[in-house]
Amino acid sequence: MNNVPPLDLSQQYALIGEEVSPAILKVLASGRYIGGPAVASFEQSFANYIGVSQCVSCNSGTDSLYLTLRALQIGPGDEVITSPFTFVATAEMISAVGATPVFVDIDPGTFNLDLAQLASAITHKTRAIMPVHLFGQPVNMTQLMAIASSHNLVVIEDCAQSTGAEWDGQKVGSIGHVGCFSFFPTKNLGACGDGGAVTTNDPAIAAAVRMLKEHGQSTRYLSEARGINSRLDAMQATILEIKLRHLDAWNDRRRAVADRYHELLSPIPSIALPQTLPSGKSVWNQYTIRLKSQDKITSPAPNFRDSVRNKLQEKGIGSMVYYPFPLHLQPVYKSLGYQPGSFPVAEQAGCEVLSLPMFPELDGDQQDRVVYGLKDCLTEMQKFGE
Ligand SMILES: *Cc1c(COP(=O)(O)O)cnc(C)c1O
């Protein structure tokens, strides 16, 4: 029997290869590899898709966060509130501009910021809130925007895992002041290399991002600010433009896969399923369950979740752990003074999460194998008292 991979990008290429290959050859023959019409056209299409007036492309999701923070002139002395349960780039870029990340614990069902605890983290130094729509699931933006506006804070949405997700009928990346996107190959809209974008309805922010990503130049060879070089190239823009036309269908397929996991896994008592909010439309970048245990973040590896994952691997079923160590306990953030116990929900999630195979082409048989494999692992472990 074939193995079930956690993700298989080759199947997507097989589906669109006939569209992509000639388009890439055209770019190669055109001689325009950086900038030019392909990049401008994708920026326009992506702005239309998200529902904003401005889109500035860049080299990565990481750069989109960095450029946004710089454009908003957030820096030393400023605090930015974000989640401790995310990919490190979110907090890393807050630090990169000289500001301080301030973490707030997450909600155990959605893995997103616990908005009930948000207000208590706001100080006179807070400039912005950076919610992360983790695993494709939108944060409750109605509630978050209300808190932000009552404290005059900027909202920067980290949409790296949530291209196409909606809150209350609006696409994420169009609700806060700025949206930051990644086109890393494993994201819902992925390039065949690196890429990223900033979306906003504020032309001044867009102009500042564009200036900063071009060495601080809005007029060529006249640098107004200390910028960087961050480009989306013409080949990636061409691929993204083609893939964007398929994105809604792919996200629909991910929702169908998630619904089926939900149905098949809900009878198992030792598994907690990811929760969704009624106004949210998730795009399921990951389908992440929790294997409930008494393990602590300080417990030695392998913990219960790791053992299940290893057993699944033996059966040929791939899975991933996003994320084993919350950011407040990362060595790089030691100086912030957080301890084990500072954010108990994020820490428990770190011990218990397991992301199951999730991609639009995952078929029913593969999904059955994942579910039965998981059931077998859990039964075996119970029997041997592991
Ligand atoms: C992927 C990711 C990023 C960074 O994007 P890159 O394109 O890899 O630089 C930032 N934030 C989150 C939540 C991500 O998942």
Side-chain angles (χ1 to χ4, degrees):
M1 242 190 307
N2 289 332
N3 291 351
V4 185
L7 174 73
D8 182 0
L9 293 170
S10 66
Q11 290 191 45
Q12 193 176 72
Y13 184 74
L15 203 77
I16 57 168
E18 280 183 34
E19 269 178 283
V20 171
S21 302
I24 289 298
L25 292 177
K26 238 167 101 178
V27 174
L28 284 172
S30 77
R32 298 288 303 268
Y33 307 134
I34 294 288
V39 176
S41 165
F42 172 68
E43 287 181 342
Q44 189 57 58
S45 302
F46 196 66
N48 293 345
Y49 178 79
I50 297 299
V52 291
S53 63
Q54 315 285 322
C55 168
V56 183
S57 62
C58 61
N59 183 248
S60 68
T62 303
D63 279 4
S64 73
L65 295 166
Y66 175 81
L67 292 163
T68 296
L69 289 158
R70 286 284 315 278
L72 293 165
Q73 300 187 350
I74 291 170
D78 296 333
E79 294 178 351
V80 178
I81 298 174
T82 193
S83 169
F85 196 65
T86 172
F87 182 57
V88 67
T90 315
E92 187 182 35
M93 290 305 104
I94 297 170
S95 308
V97 300
T100 304
V102 173
F103 300 116
V104 166
D105 210 351
I106 58 166
D107 173 84
T110 63
F111 303 114
N112 281 333
L113 273 178
D114 180 357
L115 299 183
Q117 298 186 44
L118 190 59
S120 63
I122 297 172
T123 72
H124 65 282
K125 292 182 178 171
T126 310
R127 287 279 317 279
I129 305 172
M130 198 182 265
V132 182
H133 307 293
L134 201 72
F135 303 148
Q137 167 109 255
V139 171
N140 180 337
M141 289 304 287
T142 313
Q143 205 184 336
L144 188 136
M145 293 309 288
I147 298 167
S149 77
S150 72
H151 291 84
N152 250 318
L153 301 175
V154 182
V155 175
I156 303 164
E157 297 177 69
D158 183 339
C159 305
Q161 300 185 8
S162 58
T163 308
E166 292 176 15
W167 176 258
D168 210 9
Q170 259 187 292
K171 291 247 161 44
V172 300
S174 72
I175 308 167
H177 299 87
V178 189
C180 296
F181 289 85
S182 166
F183 304 128
F184 186 75
T186 65
K187 313 289 174 157
N188 291 53
L189 178 64
C192 298
D194 274 312
V198 172
T199 57
T200 181
N201 281 311
D202 185 332
I205 294 175
V209 168
R210 207 175 277 287
M211 177 268 286
L212 288 164
K213 72 162 228 171
E214 290 168 1
H215 301 288
Q217 303 177 351
S218 20
T219 306
R220 205 178 248 200
Y221 304 126
L222 198 66
S223 289
E224 304 152 43
R226 181 170 43 82
I228 59 170
N229 165 23
S230 186
R231 300 168 179 137
L232 182 73
D233 64 68
M235 280 197 236
Q236 301 307 336
T238 301
I239 292 165
L240 289 167
E241 177 106 49
I242 292 168
K243 283 195 171 188
L244 184 58
R245 298 198 279 268
H246 298 272
L247 182 61
D248 285 342
W250 288 335
N251 283 341
D252 282 345
R253 266 296 302 157
R254 286 175 183 271
R255 277 189 279 270
V257 171
D259 285 348
R260 188 143 185 276
Y261 270 140
H262 209 86
E263 189 188 311
L264 297 173
L265 295 173
S266 55
I268 307 176
S270 53
I271 293 180
L273 299 178
Q275 286 169 17
T276 53
L277 303 176
S279 300
K281 198 170 167 189
S282 174
V283 289
W284 300 103
N285 183 249
Q286 300 296 336
Y287 188 86
T288 304
I289 61 169
R290 227 178 234 278
L291 293 163
K292 290 186 267 182
S293 76
Q294 303 299 316
D295 291 320
K296 293 277 156 264
I297 194 81
T298 46
S299 309
N303 64 18
F304 178 69
R305 182 268 323 279
D306 299 333
S307 306
V308 173
R309 184 177 182 223
N310 293 341
K311 273 194 192 299
L312 271 177
Q313 193 60 54
E314 286 165 20
K315 294 178 195 295
I317 297 162
S319 61
M320 302 296 277
V321 175
Y322 304 114
Y323 296 94
F325 300 111
L327 300 189
H328 67 285
L329 299 179
Q330 296 281 340
V332 65
Y333 284 127
K334 215 176 177 143
S335 64
L336 294 179
Y338 296 110
Q339 302 291 332
S342 293
F343 302 113
V345 182
E347 290 167 24
Q348 202 56 31
C351 295
E352 296 181 348
V353 284
L354 189 70
S355 297
L356 302 180
M358 168 55 86
F359 47 95
E361 301 81 12
L362 189 75
D363 68 32
D365 288 348
Q366 289 176 307
Q367 217 180 347
D368 287 344
R369 287 193 51 211
V370 175
V371 171
Y372 297 127
L374 193 55
K375 281 183 183 164
D376 283 351
C377 290
L378 292 169
T379 315
E380 282 167 35
M381 291 181 74
Q382 247 155 17
K383 200 154 57 192
F384 298 112
E386 287 175 57

